[in-house]
Amino acid sequence: MVQKYKFGTPFETEAVVREMECAEGLPSVGTIETGEHGFCFTYTMGEKEVVYGLGETLRGMNKRGYRYISYATDDPHHHEDKISLYGSQNFILLDGEEKVGLFFDYPTKLEFDIGYTRQDTLTVSCAKADLYLYVLTGESALAIVKEFRQIIGKSYLPPKWGMGFGQSRWGYKTPEDFLFVADTYRKLGIPLDAVYMDIDYMERYKDFTTNEKNFPDFPAFTAAMKEKKVHLVPIIDAGVKVEEGYSVHDEGVKNGYFCTGEDGKPYMMAVWPGPAYMPDFLNAEARAWFGSQYQRLLEQGVDGFWNDMNEPSIFYTYDSMEAYKKGIREFLDSPIDETAYNRANALSELLTTPENYTRFYHNVNGQRVCHDQVHNLFGYNMTRAAGEAFERISPDKRILMFSRSSYIGMHRYGGIWTGDNKSWWSHLLLNIKMMPALNMCGFLFTGADIGGFGVNTTRDLVLRWLAFGVFTPLMRNHAALGTREQECYQWEKPEDFAHVVGVRYRLLPYLYSELVKAVENDEMYFRPLAFEYPEDAIARETEDQLMLGDSLMVAPVYQQNASGRVVYLPEDMLLVKFMPDGTLYQEELTKGIHYISVALNEVPMFVKKNHIVPLAQPAQCVAELNEEDFTVVGWTTEPVSYELYQDDGYTRQVGMNCTWRTISK
Ligand code: GLC
């Protein structure tokens, strides 16, 4: 059951799509204070109570014991003490004596103190008592999540090739760079479906342009990649370069489609292109206009996009640069005394100050709204601009789309990747823990930068990460400029990489089928063990294993130099290891704790007893998948069947042009 409560005058975020009457009074769970100091929800947690949710946040699946602030932030240093990342997904699930889901639909800074100040106390607070609160109750965690997902609308489904393996790196510039990636993958027999284009394909970081010097004939280049059955996916940044004569700039200025400053004129904020204007994605007309720009690149043969820097990330604004210059001038004239060090260090904070977000405005249905008040909706509406446009531009065919920043609601228009992680083993574990929290909030098509984005990676980390990435809907290797090259062909024994990535393709019919089912039935693709085995005390505390779809459990190795790991089986399962020689190692294991050895070039998975998984024959890309000839794995003691969903991989409406095939064992 879901109840909607209204406090003050909420901003209509359109996160929830189901029309609902507001309930009278206050919810029976927790206590709520509202007033001049804003809004505060307080709840006493039971000793064993678990708090799930919050999508893209640090730390564990159980969010207890720390604090988190929903305020979209571009911070590439995802240390354990960070309280804000790129997105804001304000849904939590209290799993105690009773089970309750809570969605705080509030578009700006919202703080979750989950046993940080007092170990038994949860508080959720914000500066203004203007919000909707949705309270969901139900039999089980899964039932509550399902109902939540039903009220926020169906999740985005990518084209099937978008679930193939993708290679990316910040720094590819020329057609030769991209062709080399594709050719080397093909030459070494490492499967590949997409190469991602980072900001260097553009002309001086101008959205929707291509660098003409490097790409004198862009359509010919995209055609050459298509010949190789490799899709191109360029990046689009939120900021539009300030440059007269650049059509996106000129049209935006002429029509009032950019965010404005105090004086009503477009407000300058700098990002990669230098001075830029931010499109006013909260203005429906501006959104439609920006969305239509994507067509230019689609017409030239690309098949998808990733939307970046849309928190929005701001390097400096007109005002903050002025303040910085003033600060430097004053500093130069000041004495070198005991405060000089701190004063010198503080100077750069003047540039990227949070105050920048108070300095510009949106036009929402004719009302001027300060950005700071709706900050968390920016990335959501950028991706919505694209998603709404794709429905017009490409009514028959799904377009690949994922974003860095997000808010619940955006899950209807695209997926997300989890931003600038690092090549750290702890970030592989973080990737595992984040996935179900994102699924709860509707974000099914997700994944992290495999191998790690920042700092130098190692061969074993890339292999272990790929062996988990084999299961994540978005499977992309991406790295930052200046870091060690980490494409699968950069390492000794590339055949190990060919094998591990190859497992993805053997599993793709199952993974795609499970993703479609999760989208259609508002279910979770990845689930914590606790959701499936709520009575099992060990399962309740297992955070490094995941249930995936109907049949599988995954338990990745995430420690360096480990030749295996301890795995908890909440029921009897079949261990299946994809061996480097192409064979399958299979072992029937009983419920309980087991040590599993896993070499660097093996991929393990666990199939629940009396469940099965169809495996396709190896393929080099999704277009070459043979979907007729399956090997079926499973430990069955009775006849078992599995409903496999198959379609052309691009039809928008699930269920059209599709086959449900029953696979039996
Ligand atoms: C941001 C993105 C990253 C990209 C870089 C350059 O840091 O998160 O993925 O490579 O910008 O565009």
Side-chain angles (χ1 to χ4, degrees):
M1 191 178 78
V2 52
Q3 283 193 298
K4 174 181 182 183
Y5 296 89
K6 183 177 180 180
F7 300 91
T9 320
F11 186 89
E12 299 297 335
T13 67
E14 295 173 65
V16 170
V17 291
R18 190 192 283 172
E19 299 270 337
M20 264 179 274
E21 291 290 317
C22 291
E24 299 285 327
L26 290 172
S28 57
V29 51
T31 54
I32 289 175
E33 282 170 60
T34 56
E36 259 176 42
H37 302 295
F39 170 91
C40 186
F41 170 87
T42 307
Y43 171 81
T44 306
M45 296 178 285
E47 206 188 327
K48 293 260 165 70
E49 186 146 4
V50 179
V51 180
Y52 294 101
L54 289 187
E56 190 183 358
T57 43
L58 289 159
R59 300 201 168 222
M61 284 184 195
N62 184 352
K63 307 313 291 185
R64 265 186 94 149
Y66 212 60
R67 63 192 273 266
Y68 308 87
I69 291 189
S70 284
Y71 198 71
T73 304
D74 173 13
D75 181 343
H77 306 294
H78 307 170
H79 302 145
E80 217 172 276
D81 59 325
K82 291 296 164 74
I83 51 179
S84 302
L85 289 177
Y86 308 91
S88 33
Q89 292 115 3
N90 303 332
F91 176 63
I92 54 172
L93 194 143
L94 313 175
D95 185 357
E97 293 277 291
E98 279 175 83
K99 296 187 193 336
V100 184
L102 299 166
F103 173 48
F104 299 86
D105 188 12
Y106 183 72
T108 187
K109 198 172 281 178
L110 180 68
E111 174 161 358
F112 292 82
D113 180 330
I114 312 180
Y116 173 76
T117 302
R118 272 187 60 92
Q119 272 204 289
D120 66 350
T121 309
L122 162 75
T123 59
V124 184
S125 56
C126 52
K128 288 198 176 155
D130 294 321
L131 72 156
Y132 290 111
L133 168 61
Y134 295 83
V135 180
L136 297 103
T137 46
E139 287 286 289
S140 64
L142 285 172
I144 292 176
V145 170
K146 188 172 170 117
E147 177 139 38
F148 179 58
R149 296 269 305 283
Q150 284 167 346
I151 70 168
I152 60 175
K154 282 212 181 334
S155 299
Y156 166 78
L157 182 70
K160 190 169 188 176
W161 64 264
M163 288 186 80
F165 176 64
Q167 181 61 57
S168 184
R169 180 175 174 84
W170 179 7
Y172 300 152
K173 279 197 170 66
T174 62
E176 291 70 39
D177 292 341
F178 294 98
L179 290 164
F180 178 78
V181 176
D183 288 340
T184 315
Y185 269 91
R186 289 282 179 258
K187 192 174 82 199
L188 294 170
I190 311 172
L192 182 75
D193 262 279
V195 179
Y196 288 78
M197 306 183 81
D198 207 321
I199 44 176
D200 296 303
Y201 79 87
M202 299 181 203
E203 191 204 323
R204 287 174 297 121
Y205 307 137
K206 282 151 60 177
D207 277 342
F208 309 111
T209 68
T210 53
N211 181 315
E212 284 192 12
K213 194 168 135 273
N214 288 342
F215 296 95
D217 189 346
F218 194 74
F221 161 64
T222 58
M225 291 295 273
K226 274 204 169 69
E227 285 265 297
K228 300 177 196 301
K229 301 194 178 139
V230 175
H231 299 265
L232 283 167
V233 187
I235 196 170
I236 301 295
D237 280 350
V240 171
K241 187 173 177 63
V242 177
E243 185 178 283
E244 286 198 14
Y246 162 39
S247 66
V248 185
H249 164 272
D250 293 353
E251 286 171 26
V253 170
K254 184 165 141 247
N255 297 307
Y257 291 153
F258 292 122
C259 293
T260 51
E262 204 65 62
D263 59 2
K265 295 194 180 127
Y267 189 69
M268 191 282 274
M269 348 187 184
V271 213
W272 299 124
Y277 293 143
M278 289 295 162
D280 186 354
F281 296 119
L282 273 71
N283 168 344
E285 239 182 74
R287 206 159 56 227
W289 161 75
F290 193 86
S292 63
Q293 307 296 320
Y294 287 81
Q295 187 160 8
R296 298 188 192 196
L297 288 170
L298 285 171
E299 278 170 354
Q300 296 184 65
V302 310
D303 296 312
F305 302 90
W306 43 311
N307 278 347
D308 192 22
M309 306 298 275
N310 49 5
E311 293 69 33
S313 182
I314 302 175
F315 296 168
Y316 60 85
T317 60
Y318 174 77
D319 290 281
S320 78
M321 185 53 98
E322 288 297 321
Y324 180 66
K325 286 194 200 159
K326 184 163 166 275
I328 289 195
R329 278 193 293 268
E330 284 169 8
F331 183 74
L332 290 175
D333 293 336
S334 71
I336 301 180
D337 57 14
E338 66 278 10
T339 64
Y341 177 74
N342 287 345
R343 286 189 288 113
N345 275 339
L347 284 172
S348 69
E349 283 165 29
L350 291 171
L351 281 179
T352 48
T353 164
E355 253 179 82
N356 282 333
Y357 292 128
T358 65
R359 290 170 167 152
F360 62 98
Y361 297 85
H362 295 272
N363 170 359
V364 184
N365 306 323
Q367 295 272 344
R368 210 167 88 125
V369 179
C370 182
H371 173 79
D372 181 54
Q373 295 304 307
V374 286
H375 174 69
N376 291 338
L377 305 181
F378 195 79
Y380 157 25
N381 281 285
M382 177 183 182
T383 299
R384 179 175 175 185
E388 287 173 341
F390 295 159
E391 279 168 34
R392 294 193 304 271
I393 301 167
S394 174
D396 304 325
K397 220 164 125 185
R398 292 173 231 152
I399 305 289
L400 187 73
M401 164 52 65
F402 57 90
S403 168
R404 192 169 72 176
S405 188
S406 62
Y407 184 84
I408 290 172
M410 201 206 85
H411 68 286
R412 302 191 293 268
Y413 305 100
I416 61 160
W417 93 102
T418 57
D420 298 349
N421 61 4
K422 296 237 194 298
S423 300
W424 292 343
W425 292 86
S426 61
H427 277 183
L428 165 54
L429 177 59
L430 180 65
N431 184 189
I432 300 168
K433 292 183 182 186
M434 257 187 205
M435 292 292 108
L438 281 164
N439 281 196
M440 289 170 71
C441 300
F443 295 89
L444 299 181
F445 183 65
T446 61
D449 286 349
I450 292 176
F453 176 77
V455 307
N456 292 335
T457 196
T458 55
R459 179 178 184 272
D460 51 355
L461 180 57
V462 179
L463 275 171
R464 290 298 196 201
W465 212 321
L466 284 169
F468 174 56
V470 153
F471 300 100
T472 60
L474 168 63
M475 184 190 186
R476 180 180 78 144
N477 176 335
H478 179 48
L481 192 66
T483 57
R484 186 177 187 185
E485 291 175 308
Q486 67 185 46
E487 294 84 0
C488 293
Y489 50 77
Q490 303 287 359
W491 313 96
E492 69 265 24
K493 289 183 73 191
E495 60 273 23
D496 286 347
F497 291 81
H499 168 63
V500 173
V501 177
V503 172
R504 166 63 154 218
Y505 288 79
R506 300 210 63 192
L507 281 166
L508 233 148
Y510 174 81
L511 300 178
Y512 181 67
S513 188
E514 289 305 316
L515 186 73
V516 169
K517 289 181 206 169
V519 168
E520 276 305 283
N521 304 325
D522 300 301
E523 272 159 5
M524 293 170 71
Y525 169 96
F526 279 129
R527 298 175 301 280
L529 269 56
F531 283 21
E532 206 140 315
Y533 308 94
E535 306 304 329
D536 180 327
I538 302 179
R540 271 178 78 82
E541 292 193 0
T542 302
E543 296 208 350
D544 58 356
Q545 303 176 194
L546 299 172
M547 305 309 296
L548 192 181
D550 193 43
S551 309
L552 280 185
M553 181 179 85
V554 295
V557 177
Y558 54 88
Q559 253 178 280
Q560 189 158 31
N561 301 318
S563 46
R565 57 163 289 175
V566 172
V567 178
Y568 176 62
L569 265 53
E571 60 174 295
D572 294 353
M573 291 185 184
L574 178 72
L575 163 65
V576 177
K577 273 199 285 186
F578 293 86
M579 305 305 280
D581 63 359
T583 58
L584 301 172
Y585 170 86
Q586 304 187 46
E587 186 180 348
E588 292 166 5
L589 297 174
T590 48
K591 175 179 156 80
I593 294 171
H594 297 267
Y595 179 83
I596 306 296
S597 61
V598 189
L600 272 180
N601 54 8
E602 295 171 3
V603 181
M605 66 180 195
F606 299 83
V607 187
K608 293 193 284 188
K609 191 172 177 180
N610 288 323
H611 285 73
I612 53 175
V613 176
L615 299 176
Q617 304 312 316
Q620 288 296 300
C621 58
V622 167
E624 286 179 3
L625 263 184
N626 171 348
E627 301 244 21
E628 303 299 320
D629 179 15
F630 296 106
T631 304
V632 180
V633 289
W635 168 13
T636 53
T637 52
E638 56 194 56
V640 174
S641 61
Y642 175 77
E643 293 298 305
L644 182 71
Y645 174 87
Q646 294 178 303
D647 65 10
D648 53 19
Y650 57 80
T651 295
R652 276 184 179 275
Q653 209 182 325
V654 173
M656 290 259 291
N657 306 342
C658 87
T659 322
W660 284 100
R661 180 191 292 245
T662 306
I663 311 262
S664 312
K665 185 168 188 281

